[in-house]
Amino acid sequence: MPVGRLVFTWAALLALLALTIASSFLPIGEWRQVINFAIAIAKAALILWIFMKMREETALVRLAAVIAAVLLLVLGGLLAADYGLRSRSPYVQIDAGIATPR
């Protein structure tokens, strides 16, 4: 593997790390999580493509990697939907970490 490609990938990963750190200081509210998740996906894609040599693999191996990523995103979406759609229980009040019945 050419050294120039490795140096470029290293610099790109450091730039994405700097973006992650910078986003933690910005007053952007809930968008911080979305931005950091997108940056994490870009880092993972760089690592898969360059260091794991996914570009040299056969189409079947690439398809398996894409299916795994899509299934992970679906599971994350189902988790977010479950968390977002749950309502608070009218029977339990959580106060100072102790659950007491109302």
Side-chain angles (χ1 to χ4, degrees), residues 60-77:
L60 187 61
V61 174
R62 288 184 192 177
L63 179 65
V66 168
I67 289 173
V70 167
L71 287 176
L72 188 62
L73 288 174
V74 167
L75 286 174

Side-chain angles (χ1 to χ4, degrees), residues 71-88:
L71 287 176
L72 188 62
L73 288 174
V74 167
L75 286 174
L78 289 172
L79 176 72
D82 180 43
Y83 181 76
L85 294 175
R86 285 189 184 209
S87 61
R88 296 189 145 211

Side-chain angles (χ1 to χ4, degrees), residues 11-77:
L13 287 171
L14 282 180
L16 289 171
L17 174 65
L19 281 174
T20 303
I21 293 171
S23 73
S24 68
F25 293 106
L26 295 175
I28 52 179
E30 296 296 323
W31 284 101
R32 181 179 298 125
Q33 294 173 350
V34 175
I35 290 170
N36 285 339
F37 190 67
I39 293 171
I41 289 174
K43 289 178 191 176
L46 273 174
I47 290 170
L48 274 170
W49 197 251
I50 301 297
F51 294 119
M52 295 180 73
K53 299 178 181 178
M54 193 59 67
R55 62 190 157 89
E56 297 171 5
E57 293 294 338
T58 62
L60 187 61
V61 174
R62 288 184 192 177
L63 179 65
V66 168
I67 289 173
V70 167
L71 287 176
L72 188 62
L73 288 174
V74 167
L75 286 174

